[in-house]
Amino acid sequence: MDGKEEVDAAKNAVYDRQIRLWGAEAQQRIGSSWVMIWGFGGVNVELCKNLILAGISVSVCDSSIVKLSDLGHNFFLREDDVGKKKSVACIERIQELNPFAQANVIDEPRVDGYTLISVERIGKKSDGEYYTKVMNIAKDCREKGISFFYSRADSDGGLSVSDLGPSFTFLPDRADDGGKRIENFPPFAAYAQLCP
């Protein structure tokens, strides 16, 4: 067995359940996806874990400094990470979850090259510069056909808003429906007032 065959066999062993569920071709598409995660709070930490385990590569963008309280919702962090840049402190442990998916750190959020963007609130509307960046990223995603997710979760509740583009196919639970096309879906900006 040559090196490529060994890698393929190892990948098949890691993704065996997924391949049996939706097939090798779908798993290859999943493996070619790349997600930017901006803001590494509780929601995006869990999302990142699930994506990397499924074989989806991730770029993490969060320059905030690790506080002791972050250890309560971020299982990638350890006590000796306090005082370090959050994305840098987490990236090695993220990569350890799956050697067949890539994980890296980026310093500034960007849209190009990604399949999906997930933003978890790391600022507030009152922080005009941050809020403007979020709105611009959402607008760029819509224009380029990239799925955009915004979330926040804290002690007073949670919120998630998705912008999957101007139209997409929604598949109901009943297979006999054939799917329902939703047209002229509003952009993220239409929901922005909900996002504190």
Side-chain angles (χ1 to χ4, degrees):
M1 199 180 313
D2 69 11
K4 183 180 177 344
E5 288 173 336
E6 286 178 21
V7 169
D8 288 345
K11 276 187 181 181
N12 287 340
V14 168
Y15 300 128
D16 179 60
R17 284 187 197 170
Q18 291 168 219
I19 291 169
R20 283 188 279 146
L21 181 63
W22 47 64
E25 185 180 322
Q27 185 60 41
Q28 285 178 329
R29 284 196 314 270
I30 287 170
S32 67
S33 298
W34 199 292
V35 174
M36 184 195 71
I37 296 174
W38 183 24
F40 218 48
V43 174
N44 272 347
V45 166
E46 185 67 25
L47 174 69
C48 180
K49 176 197 68 146
N50 293 334
L51 292 173
I52 205 91
L53 287 173
I56 297 171
S57 296
V58 297
S59 292
V60 178
C61 181
D62 190 337
S63 60
S64 64
I65 302 302
V66 177
K67 300 179 297 227
L68 193 56
S69 60
D70 291 326
L71 276 62
H73 67 265
N74 188 332
F75 42 77
F76 292 117
L77 295 172
R78 305 295 178 268
E79 199 168 333
D80 62 335
D81 293 324
V82 172
K84 297 177 183 174
K85 193 167 143 180
K86 198 177 289 184
S87 55
V88 173
C90 295
I91 202 68
E92 198 172 300
R93 291 182 193 102
I94 293 167
Q95 186 63 72
E96 287 172 0
L97 291 176
N98 188 346
F100 302 114
Q102 297 178 51
N104 67 16
V105 172
I106 58 173
D107 293 323
E108 281 295 317
R110 62 180 183 271
V111 172
D112 292 328
Y114 295 103
T115 313
L116 181 143
I117 307 294
S118 178
V119 176
E120 184 169 1
R121 183 188 71 191
I122 54 175
K124 296 186 179 192
K125 268 189 183 178
S126 59
D127 177 357
E129 185 180 335
Y130 166 76
Y131 190 68
T132 299
K133 276 186 182 180
V134 171
M135 297 303 288
N136 288 338
I137 292 268
K139 182 177 179 257
D140 287 351
C141 284
R142 189 169 184 90
E143 289 171 357
K144 295 176 180 182
I146 299 168
S147 298
F148 175 84
F149 291 85
Y150 174 91
S151 62
R152 75 161 182 84
D154 47 36
S155 60
D156 65 345
L159 168 82
S160 178
V161 178
S162 305
D163 185 345
L164 304 174
S167 66
F168 63 95
T169 302
F170 170 73
L171 298 174
D173 290 338
R174 297 188 327 264
D176 59 347
D177 267 358
K180 179 182 176 193
R181 188 122 186 117
I182 299 175
E183 299 290 339
N184 301 319
F185 200 80
F188 173 74
Y191 302 98
Q193 71 274 8
L194 300 173
C195 305

